[in-house]
Amino acid sequence: MSSLTVVYNEISEVAGLLHKNGWAEKNAGNFSILVDLDFEINSGKHYPLPKPYTELANKVFIVTGKGKRMRDIARSPAENTVVFKINSKGDMYSILSVALVTPTSELPTHLAIHSMIAQRSSNERAVMHSHVTELIALTHIEKYCDQDRFNNMLWQMHPETIMFIPTGVGFVPFELPGSSEIATATVEALKYHSIALWEKHGVFSIASNLNDCYDLIDIIAKATKIYLMCAAVGTLPQGLSTNQLDQLKDIEF
Ligand code: 2HA
Ligand code: ZN
């Protein structure tokens, strides 16, 4: 199997999960993956980037297409994503894949995150955005538009959260989707957290691959769902105690 086929298979699996969970209405959600592939330029045509990304010069990405449905991406990754290579100045890209698909409307945020990752040389290669219903619901409650309060709720609701997401999520107050403001705020949040929570919109996660990006948001979606289910029957959950959380932090897994 070629490396591109391996990446397409993972894209299919994760896009299908996002759709089945109801986290990807219409064309909601997008992702980008830094890949080690390089092949013949399809069109030879260069497209301008909204600003130069010098740290990303000569790098190749697979990115979901603008306006594409997650369920169509799951069915046919090749037709609904685009592989592109950034030029040596970091200010243009050329499409390598057969399908001439326009990259996602959230491209500025994706590239800004990959630039930040390149500068710190950590091992994240995948960036994922999704409209996780449970998480969005809680950001409509003013009290939870507070990073510390949100993270304490997440950690208290389920042992997995403190074990796998010990630094919690970074909260990003509402900004327009696709804007440079939301790109800057998301990069700030992801410098210290593996997940950025977008008020009244969704979530971004970063990891070494797409499945790991999915796992991160799946864990916090679960914790939030437990909280909301207790609230729905009229009682706020007891939550794990400080002592229980301290013990969980020390577990080797
Ligand atoms: O891809 O989710 O935020 C569509 C979106 C924009
Ligand atoms: Zn979105």
Side-chain angles (χ1 to χ4, degrees), residues 159-179:
E160 305 281 302
T161 323
I162 195 96
M163 290 164 69
F164 293 109
I165 308 167
T167 54
V169 306
F171 185 80
V172 178
F174 188 84
E175 293 285 355
L176 287 183
S179 63

Side-chain angles (χ1 to χ4, degrees), residues 115-122 124 190-193 206:
S115 283
M116 181 273 285
I117 293 168
Q119 284 172 63
R120 70 181 181 191
S121 318
S122 51
E124 293 102 346
L190 292 175
K191 279 182 186 164
Y192 313 102
H193 310 272
I206 55 172

Side-chain angles (χ1 to χ4, degrees), residues 144 148-163 165 222-224 226-227 230 236-246 248:
Y144 283 98
D148 290 341
R149 195 188 291 267
F150 205 100
N151 282 326
N152 283 325
M153 178 281 294
L154 290 175
W155 289 323
Q156 285 170 6
M157 281 313 100
H158 202 247
E160 305 281 302
T161 323
I162 195 96
M163 290 164 69
I165 308 167
K222 170 84 150 215
T224 308
I226 296 167
Y227 178 85
C230 292
L236 287 182
Q238 193 180 21
L240 294 159
S241 68
T242 311
N243 185 33
Q244 287 166 336
L245 287 171
D246 284 344
L248 283 163

Side-chain angles (χ1 to χ4, degrees), residues 206-217:
I206 55 172
S208 57
N209 60 59
L210 211 52
N211 262 303
D212 286 352
C213 285
Y214 176 83
D215 288 342
L216 289 169
I217 64 160

